[in-house]
Every structure is written in C-alpha cells, then in structure tokens.
Amino acid sequence: MPEPGTLLEARGLTKSFAVPRTAKGSTRLRAVDGVDLRLGRGETLGLVGESGCGKSTLARMLLMLERPDEGTVRFEGVDPFTLSGAKLLAWRRKVQMVFQDPFGSLNPRLCAADLISEPWLTHRGLVPAPKRAARVAELLEMVGLRPSDARRYPQEFSGGQRQRIGIARALALEPDVVVCDEPVSALDLSVQAQVLNLLSDLRDELGLSYVFISHDLSVVRHVADRVAVMYLGRIVESGPAEEVFDRPHHPYTAALLSAAPSLAATGGAKRERILLTGEIPSPADPPSGCRFRTRCWRAEDVCAEAVPVPPLGEPSHTAECHFPLEETPAVAGSGPGGGSRSA
Amino acid sequence: MAQKDMSRFRWPALLLQDRFAFAAALVLVAVAVCAVLGPLLIGDLATRQNLRDPGREPFSLDHGWAFVLGSDSLGRPVAARLIAAAGTTLSVAVPAVLCSLAVGSVWGMWAGYHGGWRESVSLRVADVILSFPSLLLAVVVLYVFSPSAVGIVVVLAVARIPVYLRTARAESAELRSRLFIDAARTFGTTGWASIRRHVAPTVLPTLLTVAALDFCFVMLTESSLSFLGIGIQPPDVSWGLMVAQGRQELQSAWWIAVFPGLAIVITTVSATVLAAWARLSTDPGQRWRHGLRRGGSRLRRPRPARGDVGPGPSPTAESAPTGEGPDLTETPPPPLAVSPAHAVSPAQAGAPVAGADTLAVDGLAVDIRTPAGPVPVVRGVSFAVRSGETLALLGESGCGKSMTAHAVAGLLDPAAEVVGGQARLDGEDVLALGPRARRRLAGPGLSIVFQDALSALNPVLTVGTQLAEPFRIHEGLSRRAARARAIELMERVGIPEASSRAGAYPHQFSGGMRQRLLIAMAVALRPKVLLADEPTTALDVTVQAQIMDLLAELRSEQRMALVLITHDLGLVAEHADRVAVMYAGTVVETGPVTEVFGRPNHPYTRGLLESVPAEQHKGSRLDSIPGSPPDPRSVPTGCAFRTRCPMAREVCAGHRPTLAGTGADRAAACHFGKELADA
Ligand SMILES: Nc1ncnc2c1ncn2[C@@H]1O[C@H](COP(=O)(O)OP(=O)(O)OP(=O)(O)O)[C@@H](O)[C@H]1O
Ligand code: SF4
Ligand code: SF4
Ligand SMILES: [Mg+2]
C-alpha cells in the first residue's frame, strides 16, 4: 500500500488526573503518558489494550473532549486547541466519534431523527432546515435502518440499532475521521459482524479514516491497517497490523495475543500459552523503567532502571522493549483460525 | 371505547395514576377559577362583618351558601373568605415559587454543567442562604421595607433559591458525566445550547416536583409572616392569614383555621400529583418502567389468554412441559425425541448413578411478569452436565442464559417465576424444594459466580469475614476456625499475602482479585455444581486467562460440574467440553464442543461461527446473521430463528422444531438438523 498522507497526528500526548493519595504517595494518575500517533488518509488505525490502559482518554483528547497536559494534536497540520469560534466548529465537523456505549451516548428523550439532526442545530449552514428530514432518512438508510424508524426513541431500539444511530449521527457532519471507541464491544456477536461490515462499507463509500479502539484482538485484526498496542498509558508497540499480529516484538503484545481465546483452539489441541502472572499495576504507580516489567518473563535488571525507547529513525514496526522478541512467529492466533471448522 | 378498555386492562396502574392526575388538575383549575372570578362572585361578603352572630358552626345551609363552612369571630363567612383569599394567596405563592424555580434551576444547571469553580462557588452561596433562617431574613427585610406583596414574594423567592439550585446542580452534574453530553461536545454543542437541549429537559421535570411541594412551604411561611403582622395586611385576606388568625381560636372554633389549612394542603397535593404525572409522561423511558414495577409487584395470578401477549408463539408449540403450575392447561408438547445430553430417564433419576448427570435441567420455563402479561423468557431449556465436566451455555445477550442459571440456583428476580420444568441435582428436583431446603443446598450442592464481582460482594464487610461466612453457617465452625479456612481459601485462589489482606474491603482489590474472591466463596463448600455466569466478561484477556485456569484447576480438583455461561465463542472453544447453544430462550443445539464448532448442525450455530472476525476474512465482509435476536415479547411462531435463517422454509413457520438427535451425543432443534449433519 502506498504511504498515505498524514491526516491526524499526535505527539507526546500526556494526560494525568488527580487521584486520592496512593500507597506510594502519588496523587496524579498518568492515564496517557507521552503517546505519539499518526493516522493516514483513508487508513484504519487499530488501538488495542486492556481496560484502564488509557485508550478512551487518548480518544477523548483527539476529540478535544479532554485537554492534554502536554503534547499536541494536529489535524492536517492544524492544532485544534489553538482554534476558536467558527474555525473550531469547522474542525469539529471533520473529526467525529462513535461511542462505546450505545445506551449512554444517546439522549433517551430524543427520537432518532432528533438525535441524528442534532449536530445541524449547531452547524446551521450545513443542511438547511427544509432538507433535514430527507437527509435524516438518507442517513438512516445508509446505516441500515428504515426511514420510518425516525420517530422512535432509543429505548425502542436494540443495542446494534442504537449503535447504528450513533454512527449515523457521527456521519451527519460528513467527517473525515471517525474515532470509534469500542464500537462493537457492547453488541452481540451476530450483530457485531453487521456493524463491522457497515463501518467498512462506509469507509469505502465515503473515504473515511478510522481510529478504531478495541480490546478485542480479532476485531482489530479484521479492520485495522495499522495497530498500536497500549499498556499503562503508553504505546508499547505499533506497526502494520499483519506484522504486529504475526510477529509481535513486544512481550506484552505476544502475551495478549496468546491469552485471547480463539476458536482455533477447538479440539483440546491446547496451544502453548504465555500465562502472565500478577495483576496490572495501577496507572497511578507505574513500575520504574519498563512498565511491563512486573509481569514480563523476559525482564532483567536493566528493565527496572532504564525506560526502553523505540529504535531511532521511524521504522514502520517499533516496540519499546530492551529485549524485543526477534522474528519468532506468534505463539497463537497465527495458524488458520477456523482450521477445525468446516463451512 | 374498545381501545380505552384495552388500555385499561393493560395499564391499570398507569390509568390509576392518570385518574389522580385528572382529579388534581380539576382541583387546580377550580382554585384558579376562584382566584380569578372570586372577587366577582362574592363581592364584599368576605369582609362584611356581622358582629351579632360570630362563630357560626359549619355545615349548615340556613344562612346561605357563604356560611356553609361557618363564620369567624367577626361573623365573616369562612367559605366566602376562602374564595376571596385564593387570589391573594396565589398571587404571592405562584410568583415566589416561579421566581425561585427560574433563578435556582438556571443557576444550578449552569453550575452543575460546568463544574469546577462555578460549582463550588454556587454551592457555597447556597449554603450561606440556607444557613440563614429564612423566617428571620423575612422579618428583617419586611420590617425594614414596609410589608408588601412584592416584598413577600422577593423574600420567599430568595429563601428558596438554594433548594432548586442544589437539586438542579446535583442532577446536571450527574448528566455532565453522561456520554451523550460528550457526544454533543464533539459536534461543538456546548454551554447554554447543551444545557437547553440536553440538561433542561431532564432536570426540569424533577424540579417541577420540588416546586409543587414548595407551594406548601411558601404558603405556610406566608402564614407565619401574617401571624407576625408583616405578611398580607388586612383587609386583604390570604389562606395563610386565615390560618394565622384562626390559630388563636382553634379551641373554640376549629373551622376557622382548619378549612384554609385544608385548602393549602389540597392545593399542594394536587400540584405535586400533577407534577409527578408530568414528569412521568415527559420521560419516554419512565412510562414503561413505571408500569413494569407496578405489574411486577403483583403476585402470581392466572395467565390471561395467550393472545394478549402479542404475536407470540402459537399456544401448542410454546407451552413447556411442566410438573407443577396448575394454571397451565395447554397440552404439553410431545416428549423430546432425545434428552439433550445423556438421556436420563425419570426412572433412572431416583438415585445418583455413577457417570450420571450431576445436574440435569429439563424443560425449564421461566416467565417474567409485565403489565402486558407474562412474557416467556426461558422456553423449555434442557441440558445436563456431569461431574468434572464443563458445559458451556452459549448465547447472545437476552437469550435467557442468566435467567436459566438464576432459576436453577433459586435466585430469580421477584418479577420472574419458574413456570415449568425440572432441575435435578443428583436426581432431586431442586425447583420443587422449599426455600429452606434450597438454602441448605446453596453452597455444598450448587453455587454460582456472578459477572460483576464488586456488586456481588458486600462492600462494608471485610473479605475475610465474607469468606468465613459459609463455613460458619454450613459447617458451624468457630469464628477463628472459619477465618483460618477463609485464609486458606484465599491462598488457594491465588491471592498474595492472604492473611494480611483478609482484613481488607472488596473495593481495595482489583477486578481480577475480586473475581478470585467470588470464586473462592463459591467453591468454599465444594459444591457439586458451579454455575459461572460470565465470570470473566468484566476482565481483561490476560486476567481472564488466569481466572479460567483457576476454574479449570478447581474443577478437576473437586470433581465439580462446571456450567460456564458466556457469549464468547473463543472461551467455549478453549475451556468447555460440551456446549449448549441458546437462542431466544431455548437450547437450539448441544453436543461436544469440538463437534459442534467443527460441524454445526443448526443454522444459528453456523451463522454465529461465521460472524467471528477471523484472519482469513481480513478486510473482507463478514458473513453476518441478518437482523437481531427477537424481543422475548414477540418471538416468531414456529422456529424462533426463522426470520433470520437462510434455510427457512414453510414448515419452519408452522411448527416449532424440538431438540432432536442428529448424531452420537448431539442434538439440534431444527427441522433440517439431520440434513445438516449428514451434508
Ligand atoms: N476523569 C478521570 N478521573 C480520574 N481517573 C480517570 C478519569 N478518566 C480516566 N481515568 C483513569 O485513567 C485510566 C485510563 O482510563 P481510560 O478510560 O482511558 O481506559 P480504557 O483503556 O479506555 O479502558 P476500557 O477498555 O475499560 O474502556 C484508568 O485508570 C481510569 O481509571
Ligand atoms: S523492556 Fe524488559 S521488562 Fe520491558 S518488555 Fe522488554 S524485556 Fe520485558
Ligand atoms: S427450523 Fe427452519 S428456520 Fe429454524 S433453524 Fe431450522 S431451517 Fe432455520
Ligand atoms: Mg474505554
């Protein structure tokens, strides 16, 4: 694939929250700690990591829902945090979000049509009032709902249908980038596949770029061109999806891949799994040096002392580790996934 | 009219509510009419003194309608004065309440929406106003600026602003963290626009209820002011003033104070009822929930005719085999062609046989009571599990898997009830047991692990105490011995420094640790069957792997039968021996996991397996099952899956397929299951 032009870029993003004093005496929780990110035009960037690792906080900073303590966000070279008034509104149009929770992200007092047309109340010039009903119907059809659903309220829809409304609302402003924060994790498997299909159809039709956040590796693997793996507020590995999934460099990525239950394991053919010991440390008291060292089976003394830095230059596949896994094939998930299934 | 009768049948609770609201509205209209037309109606009757005949008793029409409520010490008719006073009273109370409502709510929503310093400053201001006795404030102000209606209104309004401010602040602050407010921010909708569109419609109905109650407060305060001589000045008259005047003569002429008092109370109550009704009917979510709660509290009652449930399954196909439930008169369906798992005949079930099922659930049916009649959510579920074996109950959300587990464990929500079927634990039907026998079984017989460990643990007891509880109750151990056992157990489930952490509270543990604690509690008494309801859904994959390993170890150590309830195909593939796939309240396919996943015999299982985004699909479209799982209230007739099934034919609409054998140890509920198996 040709290197796409950069659309959205983040550098050194850091965000901390005040927390009650912890056992070790810190009062700040660094939810995101120095994250670099690049999203090319028409590209889908998958962001994976366990809960609490800072994925949502990162997404919220990209959307300007949260102001970073340090670092910059650039969209087509412009830092949105320096914008105001009409320029800011114009920026808002370009970057939209689909939320994780299709129940909480829709105001239960508004019907589908009101929800979808809500952005136009702020962006008045975009769709003139007389055309709104027709455009709502169009958007509803685009996301696979019926125009007659316009007068129904969120609680009359199923989870998958609500997520479609959320997607339609994000599309109402004709954005370039859609940040999807766990768009399918609240959905049933049979419905999840429909929504994933919808998202990839829309990408092809409208030329969207996605930042696709998920804890589900198989979903990210399916949709993402590039992936970034987060652990305790930092991106520990990033690269083209295929490479990262097939040849993880970072021990954490390898462990994550091997822990994810997969259909391939059917038949008691128990695969060799990397079983991590210990719990995820609190982001308020991250370990010194490498953050993963308390659970890493490759850790050595140097890991406690020095923070690993990614190699210089900008290779496409990087890992923050002193002892990256060399080209060893992934422990799991690389085999033919449904090998034991017949069609 | 027919329409109305039907809705009365379905929504008795709601209509009752409406009837109240209607009456309340009538009262308020009457008061308003009195306030407007009062002066015309009664002329100077209210002020004309009749000193020759003071203190007439009420309830006599001898002296004309004006004296029906008696007369006061100056011989003025109470009824006429009541009507005359309505106008004055409302002209003080309504503006006072409206002013404080308007200022307090806007201020409170602004403070709550923005948070930060705006919120804290506003709250401090509210505290200052509240801590200043409002009556004292009124006295000072009204003595300084001679008493007038406007003065009273202003003083009362200022005194009540903090009440609205606080309520509005609290509600908006709660909304502030809601996702839909964030969503609005992503379109650039912020500040007042967001408050107007999202916060106000949610907060105002609540404030309206507060305001209605406040009427009473305002009228009584005005009464106190009048008592002090700084309220409404005679010859004007208000209900408050009447109460104040009548108070002195309560002994001799009770009616002078009581009737205006009643007027205040009735007006306030009516306003409150109307406000509550308005709040309910403006919230699209509330109506239904409210009706549900009322319906749920009703006890078991005969089922209405099936037709009322909506386009539900046809009567014969739907009814479940039932041992009890005298209200079930439909003919039971033909017996299952093959018992889903290992075919335990009832004769065999008497005593535990080696190799027999530890838990055999047969035709379990559960209904949920709703205002619209009972809704079947579990419709004849059958499965069986042996000791040392893991059976996965696999299904999408809402398919009834948790309801099944809760019914078996005897932990059903009060709104749900078992209406048929058996659950035999070593041959004994636990569903037929009384609550006490049930409780004795909980622990050594059957125990359950929930998804949400934090809410399943008691937040105010240390984990050591909670873990010791089963030993104390069931084994009668002393406090110390039980605690030692608890610590042992904590060590067993892999909690580091168990003896020191036994004194900690649940919230001091991480999610994975809490789940370990919950598992420890569940296996404390070495149950024969452990039901694990989505035990790892709330956890991360790396932690999930640890928990699943722990469960597997415990299972083989204690020879438990494990029922793993999950929606995760991967988990089933890796950790279960057998699987029962559920759809819309029934089991549609059972068999050994390898075989079922390798060669599904039911179109639903097949579709589910194909929806998994696996690498060979990368980038391409996923094969998905169209549509979404049916609402339990409107499950399609015949085969519940037929509206989404690519293989559906005519027979599927007419006949509900039963679980029938499709191979060794396998069964599927599909008319074409056999063909799928042979294909
Ligand atoms: N407003 C806040 N105040 C304090 N701590 C916060 C706040 N928001 C997030 N955090 C903390 O920051 C960390 C990262 O949170 P975030 O929501 O970004 O995680 P996540 O990766 O999206 O998790 P999940 O997969 O569960 O959604 C967590 O430890 C969380 O508790
Ligand atoms: S730097 Fe050390 S501790 Fe960190 S991941 Fe690499 S090997 Fe493990
Ligand atoms: S019975 Fe008919 S509709 Fe139901 S699963 Fe089988 S083929 Fe599909
Ligand atoms: Mg999140």
Side-chain angles (χ1 to χ4, degrees):
Chain A
M1 197 190 313
E3 182 80 349
T6 300
L7 192 60
L8 185 67
E9 191 175 26
R11 288 229 163 265
L13 280 185
T14 299
K15 177 78 193 175
S16 61
F17 296 106
V19 289
R21 184 174 295 276
T22 63
K24 287 194 191 139
S26 48
T27 53
R28 303 294 293 177
L29 179 154
R30 294 194 151 219
V32 174
D33 194 0
V35 162
D36 298 338
L37 205 71
R38 200 179 56 76
L39 176 71
R41 192 175 287 279
E43 189 183 54
T44 299
L45 172 70
L47 200 60
V48 291
E50 298 177 283
S51 87
C53 74
K55 306 184 296 287
S56 296
T57 308
L58 179 56
R60 294 170 60 83
M61 285 193 281
L62 295 180
L63 264 293
M64 280 184 74
L65 289 175
E66 211 89 66
R67 179 171 275 278
D69 301 341
E70 282 166 41
T72 52
V73 176
R74 285 189 190 283
F75 178 79
E76 291 181 321
V78 183
D79 183 351
F81 285 95
T82 61
L83 301 178
S84 62
K87 287 218 175 94
L88 179 60
L89 267 190
W91 181 84
R92 285 268 183 224
R93 250 196 70 191
K94 297 287 179 192
V95 185
Q96 284 292 299
M97 182 154 178
V98 174
F99 290 86
Q100 171 169 6
D101 173 12
F103 298 82
S105 58
L106 303 178
N107 187 342
R109 290 169 175 275
L110 300 180
C111 66
D114 291 343
L115 285 165
I116 293 172
S117 56
E118 195 199 330
W120 302 327
L121 297 179
T122 304
H123 298 259
R124 294 181 173 281
L126 196 63
V127 180
K131 296 216 177 109
R132 286 186 187 160
R135 180 80 182 125
V136 164
E138 219 174 282
L139 282 166
L140 280 171
E141 274 182 343
M142 193 186 280
V143 297
L145 293 171
R146 283 185 300 269
S148 57
D149 290 332
R151 289 284 141 218
R152 291 166 69 197
Y153 286 87
Q155 43 296 6
E156 299 168 41
F157 290 101
S158 71
Q161 290 171 321
R162 286 183 220 201
Q163 200 58 299
R164 287 165 191 267
I165 296 177
I167 293 173
R169 180 176 62 180
L171 294 179
L173 293 177
E174 299 162 17
D176 290 340
V177 176
V178 180
V179 177
C180 307
D181 187 6
E182 306 260 12
V184 294
S185 54
L187 305 180
D188 283 325
L189 185 60
S190 71
V191 179
Q192 168 181 317
Q194 299 165 12
V195 173
L196 287 177
N197 282 339
L198 171 66
L199 285 172
S200 61
D201 290 351
L202 291 171
R203 175 180 55 185
D204 299 342
E205 257 170 62
L206 308 174
L208 299 172
S209 310
Y210 291 128
V211 175
F212 193 99
I213 299 175
S214 178
H215 68 274
D216 187 334
L217 294 165
S218 62
V219 168
V220 170
R221 181 166 210 165
H222 180 77
V223 299
D225 303 317
R226 288 199 310 123
V227 286
V229 182
M230 269 186 101
Y231 186 74
L232 281 187
R234 284 192 70 85
I235 290 185
V236 294
E237 177 160 9
S238 69
E242 290 298 305
E243 272 191 48
V244 172
F245 280 109
D246 290 343
R247 287 178 298 282
H249 287 178
H250 199 283
Y252 174 65
T253 315
L256 205 59
L257 285 169
S258 102
S262 112
L263 276 182
T266 315
K270 293 276 178 214
R271 58 208 166 94
E272 205 49 50
R273 276 197 290 150
I274 305 170
L275 201 54
L276 293 180
T277 50
E279 299 273 312
I280 304 166
S282 155
D285 292 311
S288 65
C290 170
R291 303 182 160 223
F292 185 54
R293 73 178 163 83
T294 50
R295 303 171 79 200
C296 180
W297 71 100
R298 290 166 72 92
E300 293 186 21
D301 290 346
V302 61
C303 303
E305 288 150 18
V307 178
V309 283
L312 290 176
E314 286 207 348
S316 63
H317 185 177
T318 62
E320 287 188 350
C321 174
H322 291 301
F323 309 105
L325 301 162
E326 298 308 332
E327 303 287 305
T328 42
V331 196
S334 58
S340 49
R341 279 167 29 213
S342 66
Chain B
M1 215 55 228
Q3 182 64 39
K4 199 168 174 202
D5 282 343
M6 227 167 83
S7 63
R8 174 179 306 218
F9 172 74
R10 285 195 184 171
W11 306 96
L14 207 66
L15 207 72
L16 195 67
Q17 192 78 40
D18 281 0
R19 219 189 286 145
F20 274 132
F22 185 64
L26 279 186
V27 170
L28 291 185
V29 167
V31 172
V33 166
C34 288
V36 176
L37 301 181
L40 296 178
L41 263 170
I42 50 170
D44 67 341
L45 255 177
T47 44
R48 197 192 309 141
Q49 300 184 358
N50 181 358
L51 287 175
R52 269 174 297 134
D53 198 7
R56 268 200 198 115
E57 302 256 342
F59 309 128
S60 123
L61 277 173
D62 300 347
H63 309 275
W65 66 269
F67 289 88
V68 70
L69 299 180
S71 68
D72 67 6
S73 50
L74 297 177
R76 295 174 298 196
V78 171
R81 280 172 69 76
L82 264 185
I83 291 175
T88 333
T89 308
L90 291 193
S91 67
V92 170
V94 171
V97 167
L98 286 185
C99 284
S100 46
L101 172 67
V103 176
S105 59
V106 172
W107 187 354
M109 286 190 288
W110 171 80
Y113 176 82
H114 289 286
W117 64 269
R118 298 174 175 95
E119 189 171 14
S120 29
V121 169
S122 306
L123 283 178
R124 290 298 86 71
V125 172
D127 285 347
V128 168
I129 301 181
L130 269 188
S131 59
F132 203 86
S134 54
L135 201 59
L136 194 62
L137 179 80
V139 171
V140 172
V141 172
L142 292 175
Y143 268 125
V144 175
F145 312 95
S146 63
S148 70
V150 176
I152 299 173
V153 166
V154 171
V155 162
L156 290 177
V158 170
R160 300 307 285 171
I161 283 176
V163 177
Y164 299 95
L165 190 154
R166 286 174 152 210
T167 318
R169 203 270 332 164
E171 293 234 335
S172 337
E174 196 266 322
L175 285 176
R176 181 176 69 207
S177 58
R178 297 275 277 278
L179 272 180
F180 62 80
I181 301 278
D182 279 344
R185 284 173 66 198
T186 65
F187 335 126
T189 309
T190 50
W192 290 113
S194 195
I195 291 178
R196 198 179 64 237
R197 273 180 227 156
H198 295 289
V199 179
T202 315
V203 173
L204 282 183
T206 313
L207 289 183
L208 219 56
T209 338
V210 177
L213 271 176
D214 231 26
F215 262 115
C216 191
F217 177 87
V218 166
M219 289 188 244
L220 290 180
T221 311
E222 182 243 306
S223 162
S224 307
L225 292 178
S226 304
F227 190 67
L228 295 172
I230 49 173
I232 298 296
Q233 301 297 309
D236 277 352
V237 59
S238 73
W239 291 342
L241 185 65
M242 288 175 73
V243 172
Q245 288 172 343
R247 235 186 259 176
Q248 292 129 323
E249 294 161 75
L250 213 48
Q251 300 282 334
S252 54
W254 56 267
W255 56 90
I256 304 178
V258 163
F259 288 118
L262 270 181
I264 292 180
V265 169
I266 291 175
T267 312
T268 309
V269 167
S270 305
T272 320
V273 167
L274 207 61
W277 177 82
R279 181 177 170 191
L280 272 182
S281 49
T282 53
D283 186 343
Q286 278 290 336
R287 261 185 105 85
W288 165 248
R289 234 175 296 141
H290 181 83
L292 195 70
R293 215 181 316 116
R294 287 295 195 84
S297 63
R298 241 173 304 145
L299 274 174
R300 194 173 175 151
R301 64 186 179 101
R303 298 174 171 205
R306 272 287 161 200
D308 287 324
V309 188
S314 70
T316 45
E318 192 276 340
S319 66
T322 168
E324 31 143 38
D327 46 9
L328 266 180
T329 48
E330 297 108 319
T331 42
L336 298 177
V338 161
S339 171
H342 317 295
V344 177
S345 70
Q348 228 181 319
V353 184
D357 302 325
T358 309
L359 176 71
V361 172
D362 198 3
L364 179 71
V366 177
D367 279 6
I368 297 218
R369 282 180 295 259
T370 72
V375 171
V377 286
V378 174
R379 309 176 308 135
V381 160
S382 308
F383 62 85
V385 56
R386 289 183 184 143
S387 75
E389 183 188 64
T390 302
L391 172 89
L393 216 50
L394 174 72
E396 302 181 272
S397 73
C399 75
K401 16 182 224 310
S402 292
M403 206 55 92
T404 302
H406 290 180
V408 172
L411 295 171
L412 275 184
D413 189 87
E417 80 183 313
V418 174
V419 293
Q422 292 188 326
R424 289 184 303 272
L425 181 67
D426 276 342
E428 184 183 20
D429 183 7
V430 293
L431 298 182
L433 294 177
R436 291 193 62 165
R438 260 296 174 84
R439 267 200 299 279
R440 231 176 300 121
L441 266 184
L446 222 150
S447 68
I448 185 162
V449 178
F450 297 97
Q451 167 174 359
D452 182 1
L454 188 54
S455 60
L457 290 166
N458 186 334
V460 300
L461 293 181
T462 65
V463 299
T465 313
Q466 294 186 60
L467 278 174
E469 208 169 347
F471 298 117
R472 302 200 63 203
I473 294 173
H474 285 269
E475 298 186 358
L477 293 187
S478 72
R479 187 180 296 262
R480 174 165 305 179
R483 191 169 178 89
R485 289 283 292 277
I487 290 172
E488 225 171 85
L489 205 57
M490 284 173 71
E491 277 165 359
R492 174 63 201 85
V493 297
I495 291 181
E497 298 155 48
S499 48
S500 64
R501 301 196 74 181
Y505 292 89
H507 69 92
Q508 293 170 304
F509 290 82
S510 69
M513 287 294 166
R514 281 197 291 261
Q515 200 62 47
R516 284 170 192 271
L517 289 169
L518 214 59
I519 290 173
M521 211 139 83
V523 300
L525 300 169
R526 305 188 151 253
K528 293 179 198 146
V529 178
L530 179 63
L531 302 166
D533 187 1
E534 306 259 10
T536 57
T537 305
L539 305 176
D540 296 313
V541 274
T542 54
V543 180
Q544 162 173 295
Q546 296 168 358
I547 297 289
M548 289 313 299
D549 274 17
L550 172 65
L551 278 175
E553 277 170 33
L554 291 169
R555 185 198 65 185
S556 54
E557 213 173 276
Q558 306 191 356
R559 305 295 307 152
M560 288 188 301
L562 178 60
V563 179
L564 175 67
I565 296 164
T566 181
H567 65 270
D568 187 334
L569 290 167
L571 265 193
V572 175
E574 291 202 357
H575 299 282
D577 304 309
R578 301 170 45 78
V579 61
V581 183
M582 283 186 71
Y583 184 78
T586 49
V587 173
V588 294
E589 177 161 12
T590 64
V593 173
T594 344
E595 292 181 33
V596 171
F597 281 13
R599 225 170 205 295
N601 286 349
H602 193 283
Y604 173 65
T605 318
R606 201 155 77 165
L608 215 51
L609 286 164
E610 278 166 0
S611 327
V612 178
E615 56 267 46
Q616 69 264 37
H617 292 299
K618 164 80 191 164
S620 61
R621 290 183 63 83
L622 294 166
D623 298 312
S624 62
I625 306 176
S628 48
D631 182 347
R633 268 161 295 177
S634 52
V635 175
T637 55
C639 175
F641 186 55
R642 72 180 161 84
T643 49
R644 306 174 73 193
C645 181
M647 293 176 54
R649 281 177 242 165
E650 251 161 62
V651 57
C652 305
H655 300 274
R656 179 176 172 189
T658 50
L659 210 51
T662 55
D665 205 17
R666 296 195 55 181
C670 170
H671 293 305
F672 308 103
K674 199 82 186 144
E675 290 166 31
L676 275 170
D678 298 338

mmCIF file of all heavy atoms in Angstrom, chain A residues 55-57 100 181-182 213, ligand 4:
data_model
loop_
_atom_site.group_PDB
_atom_site.id
_atom_site.type_symbol
_atom_site.label_atom_id
_atom_site.label_comp_id
_atom_site.label_asym_id
_atom_site.label_seq_id
_atom_site.Cartn_x
_atom_site.Cartn_y
_atom_site.Cartn_z
ATOM 1 N N LYS A 55 -6.904 4.042 26.610
ATOM 2 C CA LYS A 55 -7.388 4.160 25.235
ATOM 3 C C LYS A 55 -8.446 5.249 25.111
ATOM 4 O O LYS A 55 -8.364 6.102 24.225
ATOM 5 C CB LYS A 55 -8.013 2.835 24.774
ATOM 6 C CG LYS A 55 -7.131 1.631 24.912
ATOM 7 C CD LYS A 55 -7.789 0.385 24.350
ATOM 8 C CE LYS A 55 -9.038 -0.058 25.069
ATOM 9 N NZ LYS A 55 -8.817 -0.654 26.366
ATOM 10 N N SER A 56 -9.421 5.198 26.012
ATOM 11 C CA SER A 56 -10.516 6.162 25.895
ATOM 12 C C SER A 56 -10.023 7.575 26.160
ATOM 13 O O SER A 56 -10.460 8.512 25.499
ATOM 14 C CB SER A 56 -11.637 5.830 26.876
ATOM 15 O OG SER A 56 -12.191 4.596 26.538
ATOM 16 N N THR A 57 -9.123 7.729 27.114
ATOM 17 C CA THR A 57 -8.602 9.060 27.405
ATOM 18 C C THR A 57 -7.884 9.615 26.177
ATOM 19 O O THR A 57 -8.038 10.785 25.835
ATOM 20 C CB THR A 57 -7.644 8.985 28.604
ATOM 21 O OG1 THR A 57 -8.307 8.309 29.663
ATOM 22 C CG2 THR A 57 -7.234 10.364 29.055
ATOM 23 N N GLN A 100 -18.541 3.971 22.822
ATOM 24 C CA GLN A 100 -18.570 2.574 23.225
ATOM 25 C C GLN A 100 -19.970 2.121 23.625
ATOM 26 O O GLN A 100 -20.418 1.055 23.280
ATOM 27 C CB GLN A 100 -17.612 2.410 24.409
ATOM 28 C CG GLN A 100 -17.676 1.070 25.108
ATOM 29 C CD GLN A 100 -16.526 0.901 26.086
ATOM 30 O OE1 GLN A 100 -15.760 1.816 26.313
ATOM 31 N NE2 GLN A 100 -16.410 -0.265 26.639
ATOM 32 N N ASP A 181 -14.678 4.360 19.604
ATOM 33 C CA ASP A 181 -14.217 3.820 20.879
ATOM 34 C C ASP A 181 -15.029 2.578 21.190
ATOM 35 O O ASP A 181 -16.175 2.667 21.612
ATOM 36 C CB ASP A 181 -14.381 4.871 21.981
ATOM 37 C CG ASP A 181 -13.768 4.414 23.298
ATOM 38 O OD1 ASP A 181 -13.135 3.346 23.320
ATOM 39 O OD2 ASP A 181 -13.927 5.126 24.302
ATOM 40 N N GLU A 182 -14.452 1.445 21.003
ATOM 41 C CA GLU A 182 -15.126 0.164 21.252
ATOM 42 C C GLU A 182 -16.527 0.151 20.642
ATOM 43 O O GLU A 182 -17.503 -0.070 21.347
ATOM 44 C CB GLU A 182 -15.263 -0.065 22.768
ATOM 45 C CG GLU A 182 -13.963 0.042 23.521
ATOM 46 C CD GLU A 182 -13.341 -1.300 23.834
ATOM 47 O OE1 GLU A 182 -13.812 -2.305 23.267
ATOM 48 O OE2 GLU A 182 -12.393 -1.331 24.625
ATOM 49 N N ILE A 213 -10.753 1.780 18.302
ATOM 50 C CA ILE A 213 -10.292 1.326 19.610
ATOM 51 C C ILE A 213 -11.036 0.069 20.002
ATOM 52 O O ILE A 213 -12.265 0.013 19.895
ATOM 53 C CB ILE A 213 -10.551 2.420 20.656
ATOM 54 C CG1 ILE A 213 -9.767 3.660 20.260
ATOM 55 C CG2 ILE A 213 -10.175 1.949 22.040
ATOM 56 C CD1 ILE A 213 -10.032 4.830 21.148
HETATM 57 MG MG MG C 4 -12.771 2.754 27.224
#
